[in-house]
Amino acid sequence: MSEARGIQQLLHRSHELWCGPNCDRDTTCTFLHYPRKPVEAVRPSTTRSRYNKQTAHLYTVMGGDGYVGPIAQRHRINVWPLLEEVVERWDSVEGQRGGPPQHYADWTKKRDATAADTVSRACRDTIQWMACWVGERYDADPLGLHYIAFATILDDICVPPLDLVSGRFRMYGRSVGDLVEAMDTDGWGRDAVHALLSLVRQSIAQYAEKMDFHPGDEHVGLHEELQNSPSMWDGVIFRGNTGNAYGTAIMVARNSETGPVSFPWLMDSAVCDCLSMDLCKSTLGIYSMDNHQPTPNGHRSEKKKASYRSIYLDLIDDLVFTGAPEPLVHFGRSGFLFVQIQDRYQERRHGGRFPLAPPMARELKRLFGEMPTDEWLEKMFHSGEEDSARRFMWSHRRAG
């Protein structure tokens, strides 16, 4: 994959490693979709969530109508042609006049002055997330922390996927290649393969999301197509891919020593993790500052919000009643915890960074290292405000 000559080639190579050479690239493809099958209840291994189908209607802030399911868990839109249209467009302009200005732009909306600020805070967020997910075992697996840090930075900085897989982009002196080599040395096996492919998938989806967002463009973008789908399942699964909750769920399972877990358990807990986070962010008003919102304003807004909540309530119940291990069930509903207490989300509401507390600074040094970034990344990094000013000029340059 590190030798791919374009994003589309990287997409196809990673997909073939995931699905094999005979996949039809339709909605049955599990690389970009989740064709979920009905599940059978067994004896639960953990307790049911207190916020559930029978209690949801009691909380106006989470939606006065409560549960409106069951919501169909099937795709109506094939993401493949939508995603390929985006990557084809940007493959054609890659390298022209220094490349698109969105590359290495700050997307945190926290006015970071340096890339080191963004990288160190992404690693801080990783430590805080892992503590929310697994408690005192948060530092038991440094490789898992480093992996989640790479998944986090893709949300915060517009990193070109080819720079990620080639090793050009590094954090605390490490590349993705270094991480994969360490996983291989430690005998991660299939977990390492799926974690890597999930990270590559995320990098492409995040890149497409950022590069396809141009207010005022005449074309209907990837997000708009998904939001217009009659099935909320389409947007929900793409949302999970952009956040790489699947790869993160693998890290949680390994850190928690759950033993072997099924693909549906990992996927369902990953989807629920994203949904519980989105529900809490919407409740606290954090999503009002985002470019892409899972439940946008419009005439279908309330119906979509109700469907969004109900998908979460369906899946979290299924995790419990199919006997998923407690760490994965907790991971699925953890958004109701970490959004309220983590610095990442409080900074989003505040619109700026908080100083690193001394205990966290010590943990970053112990678990990640001394220097968050190198000179090359600092030169490439630029603010989101600067990017917005340049985007209009770039759109006309493309048109010309």
Side-chain angles (χ1 to χ4, degrees), residues 43-49 319-321 323-327 329-330 333:
R43 183 176 180 179
S45 60
T46 187
T47 58
R48 191 188 189 207
S49 300
L319 278 170
V320 172
F321 293 121
E326 189 278 336
V329 177
H330 173 72
R333 54 194 177 201

Side-chain angles (χ1 to χ4, degrees), residues 101-120 153 156-159 169 353 373-387 390:
Q102 292 95 330
H103 284 186
Y104 294 101
D106 171 24
W107 281 70
T108 66
K109 300 182 184 295
K110 297 167 187 174
R111 301 188 296 273
D112 286 340
T114 67
D117 289 338
T118 308
V119 168
S120 62
I153 202 63
D156 295 347
I157 298 176
C158 185
V159 180
F169 176 81
R353 292 295 190 185
T373 56
D374 53 25
E375 184 178 354
W376 176 83
L377 181 56
E378 290 296 347
K379 288 181 179 179
M380 296 293 294
F381 182 78
H382 56 95
S383 72
E385 287 81 0
E386 177 186 352
D387 176 62
R390 298 166 67 191

Side-chain angles (χ1 to χ4, degrees), residues 1 86 96 134 165 209 234 245 264 287 301 351:
M1 288 189 290
V86 177
Q96 295 181 14
V134 303
V165 298
E209 182 178 69
D234 291 314
Y287 261 130
S301 178

